[in-house]
Amino acid sequence: MVAAISQKNQRQPRASSPGWRCALRGLGAALLALGLVSCGGGNVVRPSSMQITLLGFNDFHGNLEPPRQAVVAQDVQGRNVSVPAGGAAYMAQAIAERRAANRHVALVTAGDMIGASPIVSSLFLDEPTIEALNLMKVDFAATGNHEYDQGYAELLRMQDGGCEKFTSKQPCQLSKPFKGADFQYLAANTLRNDGQPLFPATGVKFFEQDGLRIGVGFIGMTLKNTPHMVRPSGVKGLTFTGEALTANALIPQLRAQGADVIVVLVHEGGATTSSLQDDSCQGLSGDIVPILEQLSSEVDVVISGHTHRSYLCDYAKVDARKPFLLTSAGLYGTLLTEVQLTVDAKTRRVSHRSARQNIVQGEAFTASSGPVALQRDFPVYAADVAVAQLVARYKAAARPLAEASVGRLAAAASRVPQANGESVMGRMVADSILAATEDETAGGAQLALMNSGGVRADLVPAADGSVNYGQLFSVQPFGNTLMVMSLTGAQLHQALEQQFASGTNTVDAPRILQVSRGFSYRFDRSQPAGQRVSDMRLNGQLLTPARSYRVGMQSYLGTGGDNFSVFTQGMDVVGGMLDLDALVAHIQAQSQQAPMLLPLQERITRVH
């Protein structure tokens, strides 16, 4: 179904000429049929085609400041180099320069613009990110799963503005009032109880050139599995339908509205083994694949996200019946995808399409492995003044809290999983949950579990070993509360088995839970379902199936997040503090006398 876009969010196409407007009668109508229009004494030849540019990005996650990320690309000599990339002010300038170089442009995003954000955005409920996207002049945005992190009532506030309080954080701290998004969120497969989409399903942008008018229709969707990736309470009352079938059903209605080009913005993705600018689709894999296999051949472009992987894919090389482009711009605003479409004036269909990735290079940085210098073989963008001022304003407001020292570490803690699925940072977070909940008055936890996807950043200390609050906020940005529940040994075994066979958790793509000190187990993926986990031990003793154990975790897991439904069966639940506060307290306690040693010892044994 198509929901009408409100008048507030309807806009005229930017960077497109108004076209010739005149009344034609008699011979004038005949000239129009031949492609010649006489207006004001001059003859204008109607163009045989129109060039339309789509600029897209995804998974920005509120990274207003440069995210200390590098993009690997080939320089002019064919060498792989690391190019420093990202930062909202540099992204805004890259967008402005690509707009200046192209006549007809639409700027769109494919989800997760907000949520899991660094402190400069998240401390202010991501209002500054919405304001930055407004300055970039985004046209349409699909919703991602992280747009629902604070619940859909708060997401509606992101669209419409206002200062109503839906979370524990205070809205409108700097912007009074917060005006909301100038762009339109699209949510074709996110339905309310009455069957209507939460946001409009589609939008159309029109371009005009010398009497030729072309419409580009956009369908926006998030991934069907969103309810399993956010707090269930945040999406209560919403239904998420299948992506491909939803999109296919909307195409006839978009055609009726004047859409000549069909673009799908979907927050689901995959990966390829191709290099940055290679559109061969080599090694295409992931959850986007079955969606593409079902998607109509009338679709011209699929702009995707979610996996944080960058790719360009000319899907005709996979299936000649479906000559659409598939793109993803990676993560954190490091890339801006540029799609060029040639639309034939007679057929009113795309006759040629191509895509490339623009690296948003702005400033050098120093990583844990050393300096990442600017690469002069690639464009270096200046900072957009308006966006830079916006970021500076919020950064200054966040600075006193962000720069407060928390403690010291003996070395950098990485969130990158090892072969067994554990990471050093994951162990540290699990230990902080246990430390905050093991006292009897806090729930009496005996062990703690943490979902790996909730660990959002490495923790890299300064030269003196110090880490600050802003860094810890980047590790734990969601604002989850802690909880302790009773689970039997059998239920714990069932929960660990769900790492390999529950919803989107599979043997090939398991979600390995991070475990606290004192708890250990083994897993063998070659074994049948239900028999992959063994030798579960707490402080060296085997767990008894019938015995009850007290388990600490975040509220996200405790309410069934990441398809761990067993945790919803927990008994005698006790609530606790914020997860971030627990991590702060843990590092403070462990580094009072000397820098905190990292938990390097494996707790999970992978057999196969």
Side-chain angles (χ1 to χ4, degrees):
M1 60 191 67
V2 177
I5 296 178
S6 66
Q7 188 64 37
K8 169 188 172 182
N9 290 298
Q10 289 184 359
R11 57 181 64 80
Q12 293 300 313
R14 303 183 185 97
S16 61
S17 64
W20 289 84
R21 295 180 176 85
C22 60
L24 296 176
R25 295 182 177 87
L27 180 60
L31 292 176
L32 175 62
L34 294 173
L36 296 175
V37 177
S38 178
C39 233
N43 290 336
V44 176
V45 178
R46 183 181 179 185
S48 61
S49 64
M50 183 184 289
Q51 193 74 18
I52 293 174
T53 303
L54 306 178
L55 300 177
F57 60 109
N58 51 274
D59 296 274
F60 186 65
H61 289 291
N63 277 265
L64 298 172
E65 297 183 274
R68 300 168 61 88
Q69 294 277 328
V71 174
V72 176
Q74 287 191 340
D75 63 13
V76 294
Q77 296 172 328
R79 300 173 301 183
N80 282 340
V81 294
S82 295
V83 185
Y90 301 122
M91 172 65 82
Q93 185 61 30
I95 291 167
E97 292 188 18
R98 298 319 302 153
R99 271 208 180 97
N102 296 279
R103 187 172 184 176
H104 307 300
V105 179
L107 175 62
V108 293
T109 67
D112 280 7
M113 293 295 102
I114 59 175
S117 307
I119 192 170
V120 173
S121 183
S122 186
L123 187 63
F124 306 99
L125 283 167
D126 283 318
E127 292 172 2
T129 294
I130 298 295
E131 293 170 347
L133 296 174
N134 287 344
L135 290 172
M136 295 176 195
K137 301 178 181 177
V138 171
D139 289 295
F140 297 107
T143 59
N145 54 289
H146 282 287
E147 261 82 15
Y148 297 88
D149 281 344
Q150 303 300 328
Y152 77 84
E154 175 66 4
L155 178 55
L156 289 170
R157 190 181 74 88
M158 292 292 99
Q159 177 74 82
D160 299 328
C163 299
E164 190 171 357
K165 194 171 187 289
F166 297 107
T167 75
S168 60
K169 297 177 184 176
Q170 184 62 44
C172 300
Q173 296 179 54
L174 270 67
S175 294
K176 300 181 180 181
F178 170 61
K179 295 181 179 179
D182 291 339
F183 56 89
Q184 179 63 60
Y185 275 117
L186 302 177
N189 68 328
T190 304
L191 306 182
R192 301 174 185 262
N193 284 331
D194 61 2
Q196 295 297 312
L198 181 66
F199 294 107
T202 65
V204 183
K205 184 170 183 178
F206 292 94
F207 300 95
E208 295 183 26
Q209 180 180 337
D210 300 332
L212 176 61
R213 190 171 191 254
I214 296 295
V216 181
F218 297 92
I219 302 169
M221 298 181 291
T222 190
L223 69 165
K224 182 181 178 181
N225 284 308
T226 293
H228 303 291
M229 307 185 75
V230 300
R231 293 187 187 99
S233 60
V235 293
K236 186 178 181 179
L238 298 179
T239 301
F240 294 78
T241 61
E243 302 91 343
L245 296 181
T246 298
N248 293 345
L250 288 166
I251 293 174
Q253 299 177 55
L254 271 176
R255 295 289 193 210
Q257 291 178 332
D260 306 295
V261 179
I262 304 295
V263 180
V264 172
L265 311 175
V266 57
H267 191 71
E268 182 58 281
T272 70
T273 56
S274 307
S275 59
L276 185 67
Q277 306 294 359
D278 181 5
D279 68 358
S280 67
C281 310
Q282 183 177 351
L284 178 63
S285 61
D287 290 333
I288 193 69
V289 173
I291 297 173
L292 301 177
E293 290 173 345
Q294 298 178 62
L295 203 59
S296 168
S297 60
E298 290 192 66
V299 172
D300 296 295
V301 181
V302 178
I303 297 177
S304 64
H306 187 55
T307 59
H308 292 193
R309 301 288 291 272
S310 65
Y311 44 80
L312 303 174
C313 170
D314 179 357
Y315 198 71
K317 297 174 181 177
V318 177
D319 185 346
R321 300 168 299 173
K322 298 182 177 184
F324 49 71
L325 288 176
L326 168 69
T327 73
S328 171
L331 76 169
Y332 302 166
T334 54
L335 295 169
L336 176 66
T337 305
E338 181 174 341
V339 176
Q340 295 291 347
L341 302 174
T342 302
V343 183
D344 185 270
K346 291 182 179 180
T347 65
R348 307 191 70 83
R349 294 293 182 264
V350 174
S351 59
H352 183 266
R353 69 206 84 199
S354 63
R356 61 168 285 107
Q357 305 281 21
N358 296 291
I359 302 175
V360 182
Q361 180 178 212
E363 62 184 62
F365 68 93
T366 300
S368 57
S369 58
V372 181
L374 292 174
Q375 298 292 331
R376 298 298 174 181
D377 287 346
F378 302 88
V380 179
Y381 296 100
D384 177 90
V385 174
V387 175
Q389 290 175 344
L390 172 76
V391 175
R393 178 172 174 246
Y394 280 97
K395 183 178 179 180
R399 182 175 293 119
L401 178 60
E403 293 184 351
S405 180
V406 171
R408 295 179 295 160
L409 298 184
S414 172
R415 67 185 286 259
V416 176
Q418 299 162 341
N420 66 347
E422 287 187 276
S423 71
V424 174
M425 196 66 241
R427 295 188 196 108
M428 190 184 299
V429 171
D431 286 349
S432 74
I433 296 173
L434 180 59
T437 57
E438 61 186 343
D439 188 90
E440 286 299 324
T441 61
Q446 298 166 276
L447 66 132
L449 303 172
M450 174 64 194
N451 61 304
S452 57
V455 182
R456 302 302 295 189
D458 298 338
L459 199 52
V460 181
D464 64 353
S466 63
V467 291
N468 61 40
Y469 185 87
Q471 290 176 286
L472 269 63
F473 193 101
S474 296
V475 174
Q476 296 272 264
F478 295 108
N480 284 300
T481 56
L482 301 186
M483 58 196 303
V484 182
M485 64 179 65
S486 292
L487 295 167
T488 65
Q491 287 175 315
L492 269 171
H493 181 268
Q494 186 180 353
L496 295 179
E497 288 284 345
Q498 286 189 323
Q499 295 175 126
F500 310 100
S502 179
T504 55
N505 306 341
T506 66
V507 170
D508 294 326
R511 295 181 186 270
I512 300 298
L513 294 171
Q514 308 298 290
V515 302
S516 62
R517 55 182 165 79
F519 183 64
S520 63
Y521 70 93
R522 301 163 66 87
F523 73 82
D524 184 345
R525 296 192 300 174
S526 68
Q527 295 299 311
Q531 301 177 35
R532 295 180 177 122
V533 173
S534 63
D535 199 32
M536 298 188 304
R537 294 178 180 268
L538 181 60
N539 299 321
Q541 299 298 311
L542 285 171
L543 265 63
T544 303
R547 180 181 171 184
S548 182
Y549 299 88
R550 297 292 286 167
V551 184
M553 64 189 69
Q554 294 175 320
S555 54
Y556 172 76
L557 267 185
T559 54
D562 277 356
N563 299 295
F564 289 98
S565 59
V566 173
F567 297 134
T568 63
Q569 303 170 16
M571 303 295 290
D572 303 321
V573 177
V574 175
M577 66 174 68
L578 286 173
D579 53 2
L580 174 60
D581 293 344
L583 183 59
V584 169
H586 180 60
I587 293 177
Q588 286 175 334
Q590 295 296 314
S591 61
Q592 288 183 353
Q593 305 299 325
M596 176 181 174
L597 299 177
L598 302 185
L600 301 179
Q601 186 67 38
E602 290 187 355
R603 299 163 182 178
I604 302 171
T605 300
R606 174 180 171 177
V607 178
H608 182 272

